[in-house]
């Protein structure tokens, strides 16, 4: 069983790199949603060498259809949509600075505190991600 992953900001440089990295590392994803603003809807993005994703509207996306949401679209977008994703049950991983100083949001840097992810997973219903 793989995960359903939403990449927010998929058309930007970091979003495209996230898609590339997920593919290269064979992340166990059953479904990957490439999300961006309405002006990018319908655009096609590569996911690895053999898969093409069609960009979906971030504004209309139902985060109940994703297990993990990777955000890289800037702080304002994260502040507007990360709470919606979290409330829908997604594990949100935000690459912006929007929540960096928020005491209720753990800051995890794999090279600094890799064990901290276990605390997040335990508080996220024990899901193994």
């Amino acid at each position: 069983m793989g995960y359903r992953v939403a990449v927010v900001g998929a058309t930007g440089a970091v979003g495209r790199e996230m898609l590339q990295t997920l593919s290269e590392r064979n992340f166990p994803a059953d479904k990957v949603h490439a999300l961006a603003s309405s002006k990018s809807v319908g655009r096609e993005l590569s996911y690895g060498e053999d898969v093409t994703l069609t960009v979906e509207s971030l504004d209309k996306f139902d985060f109940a259809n994703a297990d993990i949401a990777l955000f890289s679209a800037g702080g304002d977008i994260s502040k507007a949509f990360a709470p919606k994703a979290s409330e829908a049950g997604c594990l949100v991983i935000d690459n912006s600075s929007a929540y960096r100083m928020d005491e209720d949001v753990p800051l995890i840097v794999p090279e600094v505190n890799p064990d901290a992810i276990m605390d997040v997973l335990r508080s996220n219903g024990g899901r193994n991600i």
Side-chain angles (χ1 to χ4, degrees):
M1 177 187 137
Y3 297 100
R4 301 168 301 161
V5 180
V7 178
V8 177
T11 58
V14 176
R16 290 190 317 268
E17 186 64 29
M18 286 177 170
L19 292 171
Q20 180 73 20
T21 301
L22 289 169
S23 175
E24 285 176 356
R25 295 188 181 181
N26 295 313
F27 187 81
D30 284 344
K31 177 70 177 167
V32 177
H33 298 275
L35 305 178
S37 68
S38 59
K39 66 183 176 187
S40 295
V41 170
R43 186 171 159 194
E44 293 185 341
L45 298 174
S46 295
Y47 180 70
E49 292 185 25
D50 301 324
V51 178
T52 301
L53 302 175
T54 301
V55 175
E56 301 172 60
S57 173
L58 172 60
D59 290 328
K60 296 178 182 175
F61 186 72
D62 181 357
F63 282 98
N65 293 316
D67 302 306
I68 303 167
L70 302 173
F71 277 75
S72 187
D76 290 340
I77 297 296
S78 292
K79 286 180 181 179
F81 290 95
K84 294 176 184 180
S86 182
E87 289 167 10
C90 282
L91 174 64
V92 174
I93 300 171
D94 180 33
N95 195 39
S96 78
S97 61
Y99 296 98
R100 225 167 255 165
M101 300 305 289
D102 187 324
E103 292 183 17
D104 294 327
V105 177
L107 176 61
I108 300 172
V109 180
E111 296 82 2
V112 176
N113 61 345
D115 294 337
I117 191 67
M118 294 310 296
D119 293 334
V120 172
L121 293 175
R122 279 191 280 282
S123 69
N124 194 37
R127 293 179 2 191
N128 269 330
I129 296 181

